[in-house]
Amino acid sequence: MIEFKQVSKRYGTKHALKEVSFSLPTGKVIGIIGENGSGKSTTLKLIAGLAKPSSGEILVNGKAASRRISQIVSYLSESDGFYPFFSVGDMVDYSHSQFADFRPEKANEILSFMKLDRSQKIKNLSKGNRGRLKIVLTLARDVPIILMDEPLSGLDPLVRDSIIKGLISFIDIEKQTVLITTHEIEEVEPILDTMVAIKDGRVICIQDVEELRIQEKAGILDWMKKVYQEG
Amino acid sequence: MGEEFNPSKPIYLQLIERISHQIVRKELSAGEKLPSVREMAISSGVNPNTVQRTYSELERMGIVETRRGQGTFVTEEENILSSLRENLKEKQVIQFINDMREMGYSDREMVEGLQEYLQKEGDTKHD
């Protein structure tokens, strides 16, 4: 379980998150939504232990989030930090060497699903294929928590579709919890169980998406237009 | 990824509707095995939890049954299947009547309109 207790995060004088408290259910696909600069990426970085809260506490399965939390958290960053001279296979082997729970057989399965070849050089991959490779590396771990920061951003529709299908195919929802930040709400909406809406550094709503549809007769996008534009 | 879902209606209800239609159209026959939760999730592009909820609800309605270790199957109970068929018909009829009333057609105009259309369709088929 992921728990935030009175968490604030400042960058200089700017507040990215303001005294946020919440806990998230397990075994769900959770979408973190909000406008640019609302604190979505900061939230993921805090869970991944890649940023420290200015105050408050973050617990991931009962452990305080720090760099060592990467043992139970798989994190896909918005940027890619691949070595261009690596091949796809080198990159998979490298991840295998870093994480005890990395499953090379699963990585191979996802590679072939994504139509990637181990021998391809990373510097020759298209942006879409680099996006796909990130998915392979993130999902090939047997890890309870998967964080994905804008996995679809800047990719063309076919790549986005293959990434969403890959997600459905390769997550083990009985054992894994997935958090996704995204602007591509329409595409992600059918695979979300829960949404966490962030506005100006505060969590304004945590809601089961099917319940939202039942109660409000609205999808996430309609709901957002209503709530975010009311100011 | 199949047909798109209407984002403002619960997806599990839309999936129940799709599967019910497949059963009534006999694309899924009595006693036939449904795809696994994961297969259904992938082919329809939704979350496995949503498919699980769909299957549980269909099971509660008696339309499918889950056999341990084997999967989920369309029921073989004739009365359930025929009432499913009746229910879908009734739903369409109610929808049609409500739409027509909203536009101001009388009951007689509806019935005559249906008969006329079916008559015309029958004629063109025979030509």
Side-chain angles (χ1 to χ4, degrees):
Chain A
M1 191 171 79
I2 295 167
E3 245 185 308
F4 275 51
K5 293 179 182 171
Q6 292 287 317
V7 173
S8 294
K9 175 66 183 173
R10 281 188 313 272
Y11 292 107
T13 54
K14 195 182 168 291
H15 265 92
L17 288 180
K18 292 173 200 156
E19 290 182 20
V20 170
S21 296
F22 61 84
S23 58
L24 295 178
T26 54
K28 306 272 183 198
V29 181
I30 301 168
I32 301 185
I33 59 170
E35 297 152 308
N36 284 325
S38 56
K40 301 188 300 284
S41 294
T42 300
T43 304
L44 284 199
K45 286 199 179 100
L46 288 168
I47 299 169
L50 297 169
K52 275 189 187 162
S54 308
S55 62
E57 193 184 13
I58 297 145
L59 295 175
V60 182
N61 287 0
K63 292 178 197 152
S66 68
R67 287 310 298 256
R68 250 183 285 163
I69 209 72
S70 66
Q71 287 169 359
I72 57 167
V73 173
S74 186
Y75 174 77
L76 177 147
S77 85
E78 196 180 353
S79 57
D80 54 46
F82 297 139
Y83 296 118
F85 49 87
F86 264 18
S87 67
V88 168
D90 292 336
M91 200 59 222
V92 169
D93 296 341
Y94 176 75
S95 289
H96 187 195
S97 73
Q98 295 303 301
F99 299 107
D101 55 18
F102 192 90
R103 299 280 167 265
E105 332 76 62
K106 190 169 182 186
N108 287 335
E109 240 182 279
I110 313 175
L111 280 177
S112 61
F113 178 89
M114 296 290 185
K115 298 189 173 63
L116 290 170
D117 191 325
R118 283 184 67 97
S119 63
Q120 286 165 296
K121 285 270 186 250
I122 286 176
K123 64 177 175 204
N124 298 333
L125 291 183
S126 64
K127 189 175 181 190
N129 278 339
R130 287 207 305 275
R132 289 183 170 114
L133 178 57
K134 284 202 286 184
I135 300 289
V136 174
L137 301 175
T138 312
L139 296 186
R141 292 180 57 195
D142 253 342
V143 71
I145 291 164
I146 295 170
L147 309 177
M148 305 180 125
D149 196 5
E150 294 288 348
L152 307 176
S153 157
L155 303 175
D156 70 51
L158 288 176
V159 179
R160 299 204 294 265
D161 188 58
S162 73
I163 287 178
I164 287 182
K165 278 196 179 141
L167 253 175
I168 304 172
S169 312
F170 295 105
I171 52 170
D172 184 351
I173 204 69
E174 279 167 33
K175 295 189 201 138
Q176 297 182 309
T177 302
V178 183
L179 264 76
I180 305 174
T181 65
T182 187
H183 287 108
E184 274 78 14
I185 308 236
E186 271 173 284
E187 281 166 283
V188 170
E189 193 164 352
I191 65 162
L192 295 183
D193 289 301
T194 308
M195 68 165 187
V196 176
I198 301 189
K199 193 181 179 200
D200 303 327
R202 295 182 199 276
V203 171
I204 56 169
C205 174
I206 297 180
Q207 166 91 343
D208 180 285
V209 183
E210 290 280 72
E211 284 304 315
L212 178 79
R213 296 186 187 110
I214 294 169
Q215 287 168 13
E216 310 273 333
K217 296 191 171 43
I220 297 177
L221 210 55
D222 300 325
W223 181 86
M224 276 183 86
K225 280 181 193 156
K226 207 173 77 189
V227 170
Y228 283 80
Q229 281 167 6
E230 275 169 7
Chain B
M1 201 169 270
E3 250 177 281
E4 299 277 319
F5 288 94
N6 174 351
S8 55
K9 260 179 74 180
I11 290 176
Y12 83 97
L13 291 179
Q14 298 180 61
L15 261 181
I16 288 177
E17 211 166 275
R18 282 187 195 181
I19 294 169
S20 302
H21 280 244
Q22 284 177 331
I23 294 173
V24 168
R25 284 198 302 261
K26 303 260 163 57
E27 285 169 25
L28 278 169
S29 40
E32 193 175 332
K33 189 172 188 284
L34 265 66
S36 72
V37 168
R38 188 175 287 262
E39 285 163 1
M40 180 62 96
I42 296 166
S43 68
S44 47
V46 305
N47 183 312
N49 286 327
T50 309
V51 177
Q52 189 56 59
R53 185 170 181 182
T54 305
Y55 282 12
S56 305
E57 191 62 22
L58 282 167
E59 190 169 10
R60 205 187 54 75
M61 295 158 82
I63 296 170
V64 305
E65 44 191 84
T66 301
R67 293 180 210 147
R68 272 183 80 163
Q70 292 184 64
T72 305
F73 298 81
V74 178
T75 184
E76 293 183 77
E77 299 220 15
E78 271 311 316
N79 52 344
I80 289 179
L81 292 174
S82 58
S83 76
L84 176 67
R85 198 165 174 273
E86 278 306 301
N87 286 343
L88 289 189
K89 183 180 81 182
E90 197 178 294
K91 240 176 105 182
Q92 284 296 320
V93 171
I94 291 172
Q95 178 74 46
F96 171 77
I97 291 176
N98 286 343
D99 287 351
M100 294 297 276
R101 284 203 179 131
E102 202 187 61
M103 289 185 285
Y105 292 98
S106 71
D107 292 2
R108 223 179 103 185
E109 281 175 302
M110 284 183 230
V111 174
E112 283 173 0
L114 275 175
Q115 283 171 337
E116 239 170 75
Y117 183 82
L118 288 171
Q119 179 74 42
K120 235 190 284 171
E121 206 190 38
D123 288 348
T124 50
K125 266 185 199 157
H126 291 303
D127 282 347

